[in-house]
């Protein structure tokens, strides 16, 4: 149980276009999901916290107009990178807050590698 | 605010040897601690977690970690490593006060040598 999927796993887009990444909790309901960004050989940086039915909370320094997050249902959160540029190329990972255990555990998706050309 | 320090960016170790990956944290409030493993181009897999109870925590794949509150440490250990343990290991901390956000360490690349 507790599987989180991401789609697509890899995406290449041209500079100036937008790309949407989906994060789904497959066998549980996730009221809270998180989006992280990981640069090569570096740690995960939290971008934003996504709560079902409300606006996402962005971390300091993250452009909310560039990285649009929507959490329309208890099993789906989406990250849209708008007007993508090469510097947005990165590995994006989502996670979902686990039900039970006080909710302190997160289940992570397999990640999406975005390459902007 | 919390912070996590993984002092070793890379740890080479021979197969079947023991290994310890170090993790220290800083926090003004009580925390919960986690170790995750990441294989190339994949997401994170939970190895083990400390939420409460026994300070010695056993996880998957033969890993264990000990929570030491006085030394603010949560070092990961394995008595005998395998080639397949080669991966990136991340220590993470979250506040027990309910923000649910994780702060990750910078990661330790474990390279198991034949």
């Amino acid at each position: 149980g507790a599987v989180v999927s991401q789609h697509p796993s890899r995406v290449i887009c041209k500079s100036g276009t937008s790309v949407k990444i989906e994060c789904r909790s497959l066998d549980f309901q996730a009221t809270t999901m998180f989006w992280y960004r990981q640069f090569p050989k570096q740690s995960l940086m939290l971008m934003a916290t996504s709560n079902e039915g409300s606006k996402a909370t962005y971390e300091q320094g993250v452009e909310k107009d560039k990285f649009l997050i929507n959490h329309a249902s208890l099993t789906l959160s989406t990250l849209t990178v708008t007007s993508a540029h090469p510097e947005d190329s990165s590995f994006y990972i989502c996670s979902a807050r686990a039900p039970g255990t006080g909710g302190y555990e997160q289940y992570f998706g397999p990640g999406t590698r975005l390459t902007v050309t | 605010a919390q912070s996590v320090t993984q002092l070793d960016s890379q740890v080479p170790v021979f197969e079947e040897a023991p290994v310890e990956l170090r993790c220290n944290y800083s926090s003004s409030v009580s925390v919960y601690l986690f170790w995750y493993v990441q294989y190339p181009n994949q997401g994170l897999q939970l190895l083990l977690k400390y939420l409460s109870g026994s300070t010695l925590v056993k996880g998957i794949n033969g890993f264990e970690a000990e929570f030491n509150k006085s030394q603010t440490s949560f070092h990961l250990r394995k008595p005998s490593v395998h080639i397949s343990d080669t991966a990136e290991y991340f220590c993470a901390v979250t506040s027990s006060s309910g923000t649910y956000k994780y702060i990750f360490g910078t990661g330790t690349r474990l390279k198991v040598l034949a």
Side-chain angles (χ1 to χ4, degrees):
Chain A
V3 178
V4 174
S5 70
Q6 279 184 245
H7 179 78
S9 58
R10 289 178 177 272
V11 59
I12 301 173
C13 70
K14 291 186 183 300
S15 186
T17 62
S18 296
V19 62
K20 180 184 286 187
I21 302 170
E22 293 185 347
C23 177
R24 293 181 185 274
S25 56
L26 296 186
D27 48 5
F28 65 101
Q29 293 184 329
T31 56
T32 303
M33 291 183 171
F34 302 90
W35 286 95
Y36 296 86
R37 184 173 180 177
Q38 186 180 32
F39 290 102
K41 301 187 187 302
Q42 294 190 28
S43 188
L44 282 75
M45 180 191 77
L46 179 65
M47 298 174 66
T49 302
S50 166
N51 291 298
E52 187 267 336
S54 63
K55 289 184 178 180
T57 304
Y58 291 83
E59 295 299 302
Q60 193 171 7
V62 177
E63 298 176 65
K64 65 174 85 173
D65 294 330
K66 166 167 273 297
F67 299 101
L68 300 179
I69 292 171
N70 184 279
H71 194 157
S73 79
L74 287 171
T75 59
L76 174 64
S77 176
T78 60
L79 167 67
T80 301
V81 183
T82 63
S83 186
H85 291 285
E87 57 265 30
D88 299 324
S89 297
S90 192
F91 194 52
Y92 293 88
I93 302 176
C94 72
S95 71
R97 194 180 126 203
T101 66
Y104 290 100
E105 187 172 340
Q106 294 180 23
Y107 299 116
F108 286 80
T112 296
R113 183 159 304 282
L114 170 64
T115 302
V116 184
T117 61
Chain B
Q2 294 89 43
S3 67
V4 179
T5 301
Q6 291 182 247
L7 287 171
D8 306 304
S9 59
Q10 290 190 70
V11 173
V13 62
F14 285 104
E15 194 174 18
E16 298 183 8
V19 70
E20 179 179 80
L21 306 183
R22 295 181 292 170
C23 173
N24 288 87
Y25 69 92
S26 172
S27 178
S28 57
V29 298
S30 295
V31 296
Y32 299 136
L33 295 147
F34 306 83
W35 274 100
Y36 285 87
V37 61
Q38 184 180 35
Y39 299 100
N41 296 310
Q42 294 187 29
L44 274 67
Q45 180 183 8
L46 179 67
L47 281 175
L48 47 78
K49 61 191 176 191
Y50 173 77
L51 300 180
S52 65
S54 172
T55 57
L56 181 62
V57 180
K58 293 191 183 297
I60 63 171
N61 300 341
F63 284 95
E64 65 179 32
E66 185 155 20
F67 172 55
N68 188 318
K69 189 174 182 179
S70 63
Q71 296 188 11
T72 61
S73 67
F74 190 54
H75 300 334
L76 181 71
R77 296 189 291 259
K78 186 169 182 178
S80 176
V81 295
H82 302 289
I83 295 287
S84 59
D85 292 324
T86 295
E88 190 83 22
Y89 291 79
F90 292 98
C91 180
V93 63
T94 187
S95 163
S96 63
S97 64
T99 65
Y100 306 109
K101 294 182 185 180
Y102 279 14
I103 303 298
F104 281 91
T106 49
T108 297
R109 179 167 297 278
L110 174 63
K111 186 171 175 61
V112 181
L113 309 168

